[in-house]
């Protein structure tokens, strides 16, 4: 990467020291790094003491058959017992596991650990009666309701790996996943509430299963009460078989390496990869990182505002927090229903102390304006986290100032579906945070930035992010495809895990994530990151959100094409976004990064194409920038958005 490119984000020189009281009482202090550096396996053995093992392991790690890892070899445990029963046995049955908040107002449920245990046992007994056995795969296609957690834990209790398919996915996506992991039972609901209305789920299951003849049972939770089609002999109401089932269920201890779940994620090909996570190591990794990164205390109220259908929900709504006996908030709906202050109202009502969400939603809140959160009492918040994409310094600062009251540390956590747990992040009681940097690998994790040859780069340079040592929550393989596992992650750099992300190391040795390497552009021989330019655009006061793509260009190889959403305040003041504004933004990027990064074109749009997990689909924007037919839009949250963007551009051209 060119030095010019790398130096630009480095002129960020703001630093935020941990609050003194947080530092003094932190779960993880600086010495944890020393211990983990000197004895990584000893460190992970100690972390495993957080769990209750039926049989202790004989060996922490077996890496003899790399890249196929075994952690806590010979150990046996039950994941559901660790997440639920043991907290009840320890006298915490009355502690709330979830303050559940439905999208319709006043539709809330508090579920204690004792209640959760009863529900999980009942569901495990019901699934057993429906013929589910250890090793069978169960697909879960649900809204954000407590039964979703219960279903996952009931599967875990039986040793039946679940595959949760995000409720926003289409029937086709569901079908592919059910077929790929050969699930025989599907758990779903009639629907859930989103944007103020009941959104159906069951019809997609019915459609998907037309091509999944091996699925014998569909267990259906009644959530909305809407009309649904019913297949006699296959469909079973949850309340008919679960509510009356026995609350006694003895958990069986499974091998530490027993499969816990498969989570599908998109790769570079069209076929999604089934990422396999196993039991012992995954639970140790998620529980330890949740405890350390959020400095979790007994009286904390934790909220991961993500969907359970993604890995963030698996690791930090379900397994990590429950293994730690945490009280969490779980919210069914969207941030703007019934009003744009809904999240802040939830934080105020539930006295949330720890918040975890994605930069894309933070930028949306920026666009809506700081006066909205300002109306609510957010003073309980102690630590605020970010995950899923690089958080640009502007969004980091806005989050820290307006949500964290300029006091709560921001923990920018880098990880992936594949890593299972957070890998690179500040520790809130130790690290002086820098806006835009995920900082250093956590204790027990080894990350490097390497060049094309796999050699570690010097501070001040960029390259590819790799992980050099196995970690407990790592994926074990791609379901049914060991070769693809090796090819995708372990072939590029001998003996190292290739994450697919570009990164740079600053002069202090801190890591800055630059986005997927497929999002790196090459303009006139200079390598530019989409993230860097987006960050520069968003740092302009009129810009709410920006997406940048590198489109083919006959002169420069690639050219920078930007799509921006302007802030409502900018639009209302000036009305139109005219030529002057575009020129100003181009000059602004030039000033922030350098003339090389100046966008060739900037198009003002009212929305950006995003996947259901909130990632911008740059591929589609590239199609527009290169004047092509827009490609496959099926993974977009809203498949009509591309049409609206094209119409907007065409209307703008006519005006000219
Ligand atoms: C990106 C989400 C920068 C990265 C947990 C990674 C990030 C991909 C960050 C994984 C972060 C995630 N800073 N980039 N803090 N966190 N990413 O599998 O490109 O949905 O490879 O897992 O998101 O996305 P996934």
């Amino acid at each position: 990467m060119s030095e010019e490119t790398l130096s630009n984000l480095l002129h960020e020189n703001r630093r935020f020291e941990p609050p003194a009281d947080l530092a003094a009482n932190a779960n993880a202090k600086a010495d944890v790094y020393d211990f983990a550096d000197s004895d990584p396996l000893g460190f992970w053995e100690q972390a495993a003491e957080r769990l209750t093992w039926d049989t202790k392991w004989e060996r922490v790690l077996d890496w003899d058959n790399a890249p196929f890892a075994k952690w806590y070899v010979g150990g046996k445990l039950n994941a559901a017992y660790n997440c639920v029963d043991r907290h009840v046995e320890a006298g915490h049955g009355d502690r709330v596991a979830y303050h559940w908040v439905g999208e319709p107002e006043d539709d809330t449920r508090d579920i204690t650990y004792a209640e959760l245990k009863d529900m999980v046992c009942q569901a495990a007994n019901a699934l057993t009666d429906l013929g589910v056995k250890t090793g069978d795969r169960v697909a879960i296609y649900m809204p954000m309701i407590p039964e979703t957690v219960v279903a996952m834990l009931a599967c875990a209790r039986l040793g039946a790996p679940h595959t949760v398919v995000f409720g926003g996915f289409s029937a086709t996506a569901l079908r592919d996943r059910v077929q790929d992991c050969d699930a025989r039972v599907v758990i779903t609901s009639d629907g859930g509430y989103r944007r103020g209305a009941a959104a159906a789920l069951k019809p997609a299951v019915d459609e998907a299963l037309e091509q999944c003849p091996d699925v014998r049972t569909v267990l259906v939770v009644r959530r909305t009460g809407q009309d649904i089609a019913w297949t006699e002999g296959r469909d079973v109401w949850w309340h008919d078989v679960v509510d009356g089932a026995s609350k006694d269920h003895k958990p069986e201890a499974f091998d530490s390496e027993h499969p816990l779940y498969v989570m599908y994620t998109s790769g570079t090909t069209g076929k999604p990869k089934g990422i396999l996570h196993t039991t012992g190591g995954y639970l140790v990794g998620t529980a330890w990182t949740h405890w350390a990164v959020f400095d979790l205390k007994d009286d904390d109220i934790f909220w991961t505002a993500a969907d359970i259908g993604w890995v963030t929900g698996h690791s930090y709504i379900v397994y990590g927090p429950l293994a730690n006996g945490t009280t969490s908030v779980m919210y069914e709906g969207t941030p703007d229903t019934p009003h744009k202050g809904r999240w802040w109202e939830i934080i105020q009502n539930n006295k949330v102390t720890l918040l975890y969400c994605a930069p894309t939603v933070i930028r949306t809140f920026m666009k809506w304006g700081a006066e909205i959160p300002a109306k609510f009492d957010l003073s309980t918040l102690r630590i605020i986290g970010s995950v899923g994409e690089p958080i640009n310094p502007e969004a980091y600062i806005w989050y820290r100032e307006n949500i964290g009251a300029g006091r709560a540390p921001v923990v920018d956590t880098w990880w992936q579906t594949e890593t299972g747990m957070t890998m690179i992040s500040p520790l809130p009681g130790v690290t002086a945070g820098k806006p835009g940097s995920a900082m250093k690998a956590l204790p027990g994790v080894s990350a490097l930035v390497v060049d094309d040859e796999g050699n570690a780069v010097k501070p001040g340079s960029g390259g590819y992010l790799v992980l050099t040592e196995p970690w407990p929550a790592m994926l074990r393989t791609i379901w049914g495809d060991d070769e693809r596992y090796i090819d995708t992650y372990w072939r590029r750099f001998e003996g190292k895990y290739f994450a697919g992300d570009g990164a740079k190391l600053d002069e202090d040795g801190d890591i800055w994530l630059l986005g997927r390497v497929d999002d790196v552009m090459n303009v006139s021989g200079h390598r530019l990151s989409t993230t860097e330019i987006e960050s520069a655009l968003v740092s302009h006061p009129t810009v709410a959100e920006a997406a940048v793509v590198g489109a083919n260009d006959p002169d420069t190889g690639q050219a920078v094409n930007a799509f921006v959403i302007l802030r409502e305040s900018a639009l209302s003041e000036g009305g139109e976004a005219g030529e002057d504004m575009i020129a100003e933004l181009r000059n602004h990027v030039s000033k922030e990064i350098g003339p090389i990064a100046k966008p060739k074109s900037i198009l003002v749009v009212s929305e950006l194409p995003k996947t259901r997990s909130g990632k911008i689909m740059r591929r589609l924007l590239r199609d527009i920038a290169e004047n092509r037919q827009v490609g496959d839009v099926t993974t977009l949250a809203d498949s009509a958005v591309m049409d609206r963007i094209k119409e907007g551009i065409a209307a703008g051209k006519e005006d000219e």
Side-chain angles (χ1 to χ4, degrees):
M1 241 174 239
S2 78
E3 290 307 308
E4 187 182 352
T5 307
L6 293 168
S7 61
N8 71 70
L9 277 175
L10 301 180
H11 64 223
E12 173 60 65
N13 47 24
R14 289 169 285 197
R15 298 284 181 280
F16 297 108
E17 293 290 338
D21 53 337
L22 200 159
N25 300 303
N27 289 348
K29 301 206 167 94
D31 59 342
V32 184
Y33 289 105
D34 302 331
F35 169 38
D37 284 350
S38 65
D39 182 8
L41 293 184
F43 166 79
W44 284 120
E45 281 209 270
Q46 196 186 70
E49 308 283 347
R50 303 192 66 75
L51 301 182
T52 303
W53 296 79
D54 193 78
T55 307
K56 199 178 164 168
W57 58 92
E58 288 144 19
R59 204 174 152 193
V60 202
L61 169 68
D62 176 353
W63 191 231
D64 301 345
N65 191 25
F68 298 95
K70 291 194 171 110
W71 280 87
Y72 308 107
V73 187
K76 286 190 194 307
L77 75 171
N78 185 287
Y81 173 84
N82 271 278
C83 288
V84 185
D85 305 42
R86 65 178 182 139
H87 305 311
V88 179
E89 287 170 13
H92 303 309
D94 291 340
R95 185 185 288 174
V96 172
Y98 292 103
H99 293 296
W100 177 77
V101 182
E103 196 189 77
E105 275 179 298
D106 302 323
D107 184 7
T108 61
R109 283 163 77 184
D110 282 351
I111 295 164
T112 64
Y113 273 92
E115 287 165 343
L116 186 60
K117 172 172 178 282
D118 287 349
M119 292 163 81
V120 171
C121 288
Q122 289 180 308
N125 283 320
L127 287 176
T128 304
D129 288 345
L130 292 169
V132 174
K133 296 197 179 50
T134 302
D136 292 353
R137 274 81 63 201
V138 174
I140 299 178
Y141 185 67
M142 300 270 271
M144 287 284 288
I145 56 176
E147 285 79 3
T148 310
V149 180
V150 172
M152 290 165 73
L153 293 174
C155 290
R157 194 174 188 93
L158 298 174
H162 54 71
T163 187
V164 179
V165 180
F166 174 58
F169 271 127
S170 65
T172 318
L174 176 63
R175 177 200 66 197
D176 292 348
R177 288 157 174 76
V178 168
Q179 288 177 348
D180 189 74
C181 71
D182 193 17
R184 303 298 171 93
V185 171
V186 177
I187 307 178
T188 188
S189 76
D190 48 1
Y193 289 99
R194 279 194 84 70
R195 295 187 206 291
L201 284 172
K202 177 73 165 38
V205 176
D206 293 333
E207 192 188 329
L209 295 191
E210 282 169 17
Q211 287 163 54
C212 305
D214 292 333
V215 172
R216 58 170 194 273
T217 306
V218 178
L219 188 55
V220 189
V221 176
R222 184 182 280 150
R223 162 67 183 139
T224 59
Q226 64 202 112
D227 278 342
I228 51 171
W230 199 256
T231 303
E232 284 305 331
R234 185 196 72 183
D235 298 352
V236 182
W237 281 114
W238 173 280
H239 53 258
D240 283 344
V241 296
V242 175
D243 292 359
S246 164
K247 293 176 179 168
D248 289 322
H249 185 273
K250 195 173 157 358
E252 185 184 334
F254 297 110
D255 191 90
S256 176
E257 283 300 329
H258 189 81
L260 181 63
Y261 70 82
V262 178
M263 162 118 276
Y264 287 86
T265 185
S266 38
T268 45
T269 70
K271 186 175 156 27
K273 301 175 284 194
I275 302 300
L276 175 67
H277 284 293
T278 60
T279 308
Y282 176 78
L283 280 184
V284 172
T286 53
W288 192 84
T289 51
H290 177 239
W291 175 82
V293 170
F294 286 97
D295 187 43
L296 187 76
K297 300 292 198 268
D298 267 355
D299 53 359
D300 272 319
I301 311 284
F302 179 72
W303 183 18
T304 291
D307 196 281
I308 285 188
W310 308 114
V311 76
T312 304
H314 279 50
S315 296
Y316 299 110
I317 297 177
V318 182
Y319 289 108
L322 290 178
N324 287 328
T326 309
T327 297
S328 287
V329 165
M330 177 174 170
Y331 173 52
E332 179 185 32
T334 53
D336 51 355
T337 308
H339 57 82
K340 288 178 176 166
R342 187 73 196 269
W343 275 32
W344 320 122
E345 185 179 80
I346 291 173
I347 290 175
Q348 173 178 282
N349 290 348
N350 293 282
K351 303 192 165 36
V352 172
T353 58
L354 310 168
L355 175 66
Y356 195 28
C357 66
T360 178
V361 73
I362 298 169
R363 290 193 298 265
T364 301
F365 292 137
M366 281 173 76
K367 186 172 72 178
W368 291 347
E371 61 282 1
I372 297 174
K375 290 190 203 116
F376 297 88
D377 178 6
L378 307 181
S379 63
T380 46
L381 286 173
R382 314 197 284 124
I383 297 169
I384 53 180
S386 163
V387 58
E389 49 176 324
I391 179 165
N392 46 295
E394 289 313 304
Y396 179 112
I397 297 287
W398 187 93
Y399 192 32
R400 193 185 145 87
E401 293 300 321
N402 295 288
I403 307 305
R407 163 184 43 84
V410 174
V411 285
D412 173 12
T413 64
W414 177 89
W415 57 294
Q416 308 177 296
T417 303
E418 291 87 341
T419 68
M421 65 185 215
T422 296
M423 303 293 282
I424 302 176
S425 166
L427 282 177
V430 181
T431 315
K434 293 177 195 173
S437 171
M439 307 302 289
K440 286 188 176 12
L442 286 173
V445 172
S446 305
L448 272 184
V449 181
V450 299
D451 62 19
D452 280 311
E453 277 74 50
N455 301 313
V457 302
K458 290 195 299 290
S461 320
Y464 306 98
L465 183 71
V466 296
L467 302 166
T468 55
E469 296 294 336
W471 62 100
M474 67 193 286
L475 77 167
R476 297 305 193 260
T477 189
I478 292 175
W479 184 261
D481 202 344
D482 287 349
E483 267 317 300
R484 190 174 179 198
Y485 168 64
I486 297 171
D487 284 345
T488 310
Y489 304 107
W490 301 94
R491 272 236 205 280
R492 180 79 172 76
F493 299 107
E494 176 78 35
K496 299 183 181 86
Y497 172 90
F498 173 49
D501 278 344
K504 77 184 165 194
L505 207 60
D506 70 14
E507 297 295 345
D508 304 326
D510 292 321
I511 297 172
W512 298 67
L513 278 310
L514 298 179
R516 304 292 303 186
V517 283
D518 22 29
D519 291 336
V520 173
M521 299 168 288
N522 192 322
V523 180
S524 306
H526 295 271
R527 277 173 84 157
L528 295 170
S529 150
T530 52
T531 310
E532 273 173 328
I533 299 176
E534 287 166 5
S535 182
L537 283 165
V538 177
S539 74
H540 191 275
T542 61
V543 176
E545 190 156 16
V548 165
V549 297
N552 287 330
D553 185 88
D555 295 324
T556 54
Q558 283 188 312
V560 180
N561 285 252
F563 296 78
V564 298
I565 302 178
L566 297 180
R567 290 197 197 211
E568 265 155 33
S569 55
L571 283 174
S572 58
E573 274 164 37
E576 299 275 317
E579 282 304 307
D580 288 351
M581 171 72 86
I582 303 293
E584 183 177 331
L585 290 179
R586 294 181 71 233
N587 289 333
H588 179 71
V589 173
S590 176
K591 192 171 107 267
E592 286 291 300
I593 302 181
I596 180 70
K598 201 171 186 172
K600 184 173 177 192
S601 84
I602 296 183
L603 288 171
V604 175
V605 292
S606 56
E607 48 197 328
L608 289 168
K610 288 184 186 162
T611 63
R612 296 174 182 90
S613 67
K615 287 199 182 21
I616 295 170
M617 292 196 69
R618 294 191 178 74
R619 174 170 64 73
L620 299 177
L621 294 174
R622 208 171 293 128
D623 290 343
I624 289 196
E626 297 182 353
N627 280 319
R628 258 198 312 272
Q629 179 84 24
V630 172
D632 184 8
V633 295
T634 49
T635 52
L636 278 179
D638 171 1
S639 56
V641 62
M642 291 313 294
D643 295 330
R644 291 197 293 273
I645 291 175
K646 280 189 297 186
E647 277 160 26
I649 294 169
K653 286 212 175 102
E654 268 166 37
D655 287 344
E656 278 167 27

